[in-house]
Amino acid sequence: MEQIILDILEELRAGRNVDDRTLLKMGHAAARRSGSDKRAFAKRRLLPFYQQVKSGDRARWESWGVTPELEKQLLAVLRMKPRRSASGVATITVITKPWPCGGDCLFCPNDIRMPKSYLHNEPACERAEQNWFDPYLQVTSRLTALNQMGHAIDKIELIVLGGTWSDYPRGYQVWFIAELFRALNEFEPAVDGACASAARSPDDGPPLALARSSAEERGELYRKLGFPQDGSQFGRAAEDLQRQLDEHACSYNQAFSEHYGVGSPWRAVAAEQVATFDELERLQRENETARCRVVGLVVETRPDAINPASLTTIRRLGCTKVQMGIQSLDQTVLDANDRGIEVSQIERAFELLRVFGFKIHAHAMVNLLGSTPERDKMDYLRLVRGLPFQPDEIKLYPCALIEGARLQERFEAGEWAPYSEEELLDILVSDVAATPPFCRISRMIRDFSSHDIVAGNKKPNLRQLVENRLRSQDDVRGVQEIRFREVATGNVSVEGLRMEVVEYETSNTRERFLQWVAPENRIAGFLRLSLPDEGYVRALAASVEAAPEAAASGFAGGPAPIAIGEAMIREVHVYGMATQLGAGGTSAQHLGLGRRLVERASEIAREAGYSRLNVISAVGTREYYRHLGFIDCGLYQQKELS
């Protein structure tokens, strides 16, 4: 292993590129020299080896003559899956525990081992089940993996997926988020691949209390309570109920009551899964200066679950972005698929999310029962251009039939069929081409295995096929969608950047999308500025004050999210490979681009007649905005526009 590191360093000193193919050859050569299995010299083993030597055998490491600049190049070579942090942050997805669902959509999978709509063999779901859906354990295991792969873990975006967030009990919501922060605050990487949690004091309470225990103690607690210990045990425990679900002999909620009800270890541990806002806020304050800071927090919900009270709650939790299942804006299609949601509810949800400052991440599906390729194209145009909607980010999925979903009956009856690959590509290429410059399509497939898909797209590289077709067109520079344009892992020259302001109107705000554009229309950073309509803000304040849920929302700053005369920064994002906080570099993150975006946004808001500027900051970015002149103010940070 050492010889491979030395060979890499020699190549780098000579100014030669070391790619994955070169690494593979080095590993094979090392295996031949030692007569060992070539897997022992795989790329994923090199970085942990390097870290272990540097930490545990200093003299040996110093003999390699690794300068800071050389180490930077070496880590870039050894880093696994560099796009994981190419957007500027490291993302961790966690899954909430299974819970009854308020809907029963026709296309939705029914896996009793998971929250509704998720399958146990999706990557994030597998990790969640292995950790008994414990948020602390999920984060700790993921931080360890990211650290071993060479990714910076200082700036973390937490994505909380599962059932409809607002369906979970309030105490569980607060506990789940508190444990995410606790895990980040306590994490200490170790060179042997394990993790070391912060030491517990004698006053920390019972040694097996979930809110007070280390990762090892939590694992022991779940074992003592009789939880399944591996995937096969989880499968056997749910086998009979899953068969009934697949045969439509019972509903998901009925199966849930039996599987997770009285007498189950899940019910026994539920009493531990509660926390107070006081405890959460203490952990949030710690995270402001922690090594692993939360720079974004996302939860998932339905449009009909969004109201001022629910948004106030998730904002207090530290949430900055909301994922919301739209699926379609065609009421006929929604009804045919048993969504149980009115388009008017979707419109109101968008308006509320926007005025509260949240980034809006909409889920849309093509090929739903009752739709056609042309209707899908028209529906997408309404989503990205219609005044009430215009999301900031989209998951654009083709509908796929999963065994056990109620859609299977319609499939067998010939009432629904998947589009051909050519039809699907035509729709998605058209959709990407129609996407405005302020919108990012984050995904085009779900992480379903081909084994689980009865009918529908099974190609995991669907997005690549779409982008290849787009690039084959004459005017690829006309594609404005953010992900297609982002600089990702590339370096950025500040001299080649220009700031552009994209203006667009919504039903309750004027939006200004400020973007740093590099040559060839690449995007290096952006800011979302909302200028709320005065009449809308006044009407919302009156309705919120009159609503009974306002008093229960717990919003200490008053019943309305913002006041007249206040503009809102909903997001600031600068691209480039995530690096350690305070470290230098040549990525877009180290050029002061974010500060300059905020300065320009302040000027625009002031010129538009606003007297104050709010920012929906994440817990881990509060210090950054304080340095820019913002002060803590209720649910947001704010500065005067003098």
Side-chain angles (χ1 to χ4, degrees):
M1 194 73 72
E2 180 175 8
Q3 187 58 50
I4 297 177
I5 298 293
L6 294 175
D7 290 345
I8 295 171
L9 292 172
E10 182 179 350
E11 293 294 299
L12 294 176
R13 288 190 182 100
R16 291 187 286 267
N17 181 51
V18 180
D19 56 17
D20 283 352
R21 186 174 181 179
T22 305
L23 280 181
L24 188 64
K25 290 180 179 179
M26 290 179 176
H28 289 179
R32 287 193 298 270
R33 287 195 300 268
S34 63
S36 304
D37 189 330
K38 61 186 179 183
R39 289 175 295 184
F41 301 96
K43 178 180 177 179
R44 63 185 176 85
R45 300 181 185 277
L46 292 174
L47 183 60
F49 171 79
Y50 176 79
Q51 292 172 328
Q52 186 173 18
V53 172
K54 182 179 180 181
S55 176
D57 192 345
R58 196 71 180 179
R60 183 183 180 189
W61 176 79
E62 289 176 352
S63 71
W64 295 348
V66 183
T67 64
E69 180 58 32
L70 189 60
E71 182 176 60
K72 180 183 174 182
Q73 297 177 51
L74 176 66
L75 294 179
V77 170
L78 300 182
R79 183 180 293 116
M80 296 288 291
K81 300 180 180 180
R83 274 202 72 96
R84 286 276 170 86
S85 54
S87 63
V89 299
T91 298
I92 295 179
T93 299
V94 295
I95 308 294
T96 51
K97 67 181 180 181
W99 195 255
C101 182
D104 190 19
C105 302
L106 195 70
F107 50 80
C108 193
N110 292 288
D111 186 339
I112 195 58
R113 293 164 61 177
M114 289 290 126
K116 193 75 155 60
S117 89
Y118 289 87
L119 299 181
H120 66 267
N121 53 8
E122 294 180 70
C125 295
E126 282 187 313
R127 293 193 296 266
E129 190 176 61
Q130 291 166 5
N131 289 293
W132 305 282
F133 300 95
D134 185 295
Y136 185 99
L137 295 178
Q138 291 183 67
V139 168
T140 299
S141 63
R142 199 71 190 126
L143 283 173
T144 300
L146 287 168
N147 187 63
Q148 287 182 333
M149 290 191 291
H151 295 278
I153 54 174
D154 297 62
K155 293 174 283 187
I156 302 294
E157 180 183 43
L158 293 169
I159 302 179
V160 182
L161 302 180
T164 299
W165 178 255
S166 301
D167 284 350
Y168 287 90
R170 175 73 64 87
Y172 176 81
Q173 295 178 34
V174 178
W175 171 80
F176 195 93
I177 302 300
E179 292 309 296
L180 299 178
F181 279 101
R182 188 189 308 278
L184 291 166
N185 293 347
E186 295 181 353
F187 183 76
E188 291 291 342
V191 293
D192 61 0
C195 71
S197 297
R200 295 168 55 250
S201 75
D203 299 326
D204 274 349
L208 293 183
L210 284 181
R212 301 291 184 181
S213 55
S214 67
E216 294 79 9
E217 290 172 324
R218 286 170 189 248
E220 181 62 24
L221 170 61
Y222 290 114
R223 284 186 284 274
K224 285 184 177 181
L225 288 174
F227 279 80
Q229 297 301 301
D230 55 42
S232 61
Q233 290 184 18
F234 275 103
R236 287 193 298 272
E239 188 174 13
D240 291 340
L241 276 175
Q242 189 60 53
R243 186 181 303 110
Q244 294 179 47
L245 271 174
D246 291 343
E247 295 171 353
H248 306 151
C250 66
S251 69
Y252 176 89
N253 288 356
Q254 289 169 335
F256 174 89
S257 296
E258 182 171 342
H259 192 58
Y260 300 102
V262 177
S264 75
W266 302 93
R267 176 65 65 88
V269 81
E272 290 275 0
Q273 296 176 336
V274 293
T276 66
F277 269 111
D278 286 344
E279 175 68 1
L280 169 62
E281 288 164 2
R282 181 184 66 79
L283 292 166
Q284 289 175 335
R285 288 191 295 272
E286 289 179 11
N287 190 255
E288 291 180 14
T289 55
R291 179 186 178 204
C292 304
R293 302 181 197 175
V294 177
V295 299
L297 175 57
V298 188
V299 300
E300 182 179 34
T301 190
R302 287 165 52 102
D304 53 340
I306 289 176
N307 56 56
S310 65
L311 293 185
T312 296
T313 296
I314 65 171
R315 181 65 199 123
R316 289 187 69 191
L317 295 174
C319 179
T320 55
K321 182 194 297 185
V322 172
Q323 291 197 27
M324 180 170 58
I326 302 303
Q327 319 314 354
S328 176
L329 293 172
D330 186 322
Q331 191 64 58
T332 303
V333 173
L334 290 174
D335 294 343
N337 289 271
D338 293 339
R339 277 293 286 162
I341 292 176
E342 301 291 326
V343 173
S344 60
Q345 292 175 302
I346 299 174
E347 292 180 1
R348 181 171 185 261
F350 267 93
E351 291 179 342
L352 284 171
L353 286 167
R354 207 158 31 230
V355 81
F356 265 83
F358 291 103
K359 279 78 73 178
I360 306 173
H361 192 168
H363 298 186
M365 294 181 72
V366 303
N367 201 183
L368 288 168
L369 177 69
S371 194
T372 66
E374 286 308 311
R375 288 178 76 169
D376 281 335
K377 290 180 183 180
M378 292 175 60
D379 196 56
Y380 186 81
L381 286 176
R382 185 182 180 192
L383 176 62
V384 298
R385 297 182 183 177
L387 288 183
F389 311 115
Q390 302 178 90
D392 307 305
E393 199 166 352
I394 298 174
K395 286 185 178 178
L396 183 58
Y397 296 138
C399 182
L401 172 60
I402 306 300
E403 184 178 3
R406 293 192 299 118
L407 180 63
Q408 188 156 359
E409 298 172 349
R410 305 299 184 92
F411 174 66
E412 293 170 353
E415 299 171 10
W416 176 85
Y419 294 153
S420 68
E421 180 175 309
E422 184 56 36
E423 286 176 314
L424 187 56
L425 285 175
D426 178 64
I427 295 168
L428 297 177
V429 167
S430 173
D431 288 351
V432 175
T435 302
F438 56 81
C439 185
R440 183 177 192 269
I441 300 176
S442 60
R443 306 200 68 173
M444 284 189 185
I445 60 166
R446 281 283 299 269
D447 282 330
F448 295 145
S449 72
S450 58
H451 173 76
D452 291 314
I453 299 174
V454 177
N457 172 69
K458 295 186 179 184
K459 291 191 173 180
N461 66 331
L462 180 61
R463 187 186 192 105
Q464 182 181 13
L465 297 177
V466 171
E467 293 191 352
N468 286 345
R469 182 164 297 191
L470 281 165
R471 289 190 171 92
S472 70
Q473 297 176 352
D474 293 335
D475 188 20
V476 70
R477 286 177 59 87
V479 179
Q480 297 296 307
E481 187 263 329
I482 290 177
R483 181 164 169 172
F484 192 83
R485 299 188 294 132
E486 64 192 28
V487 296
T489 59
N491 290 334
V492 175
S493 169
V494 68
E495 290 79 13
L497 294 177
R498 67 183 186 276
M499 186 186 295
E500 294 182 353
V501 180
V502 178
E503 301 183 1
Y504 62 103
E505 306 293 313
T506 76
S507 53
N508 66 332
T509 64
R510 289 172 292 154
E511 298 291 313
R512 301 293 182 263
F513 181 75
L514 287 62
Q515 59 176 346
W516 283 112
V517 182
E520 299 181 352
N521 199 32
R522 295 186 305 155
I523 183 169
F526 61 84
L527 179 149
R528 303 184 189 277
L529 173 66
S530 282
L531 305 174
D533 177 76
E534 181 177 326
Y536 180 89
V537 173
R538 183 178 290 108
L540 176 64
S543 65
V544 168
E545 289 173 2
E549 67 265 20
S553 67
F555 178 26
I562 61 171
I564 292 172
E566 294 178 358
M568 177 76 74
I569 292 176
R570 297 192 296 114
E571 182 177 16
V572 179
H573 194 103
V574 176
Y575 285 99
M577 183 62 63
T579 52
Q580 303 290 340
L581 285 168
T586 57
S587 76
Q589 290 191 8
H590 302 285
L591 301 174
L593 301 183
R595 174 182 53 79
R596 291 162 67 182
L597 286 168
V598 172
E599 289 172 352
R600 181 65 184 122
S602 300
E603 293 172 1
I604 292 173
R606 185 186 305 111
E607 292 166 1
Y610 291 81
S611 57
R612 290 174 296 279
L613 179 62
N614 294 325
V615 59
I616 185 168
S617 53
V619 168
T621 62
R622 289 173 180 170
E623 283 287 288
Y624 171 78
Y625 286 109
R626 288 172 187 143
H627 288 308
L628 296 183
F630 289 82
I631 61 171
D632 299 350
C633 185
L635 298 180
Y636 309 103
Q637 289 180 287
Q638 185 180 95
K639 75 170 183 176
E640 296 289 330
L641 298 175
S642 54

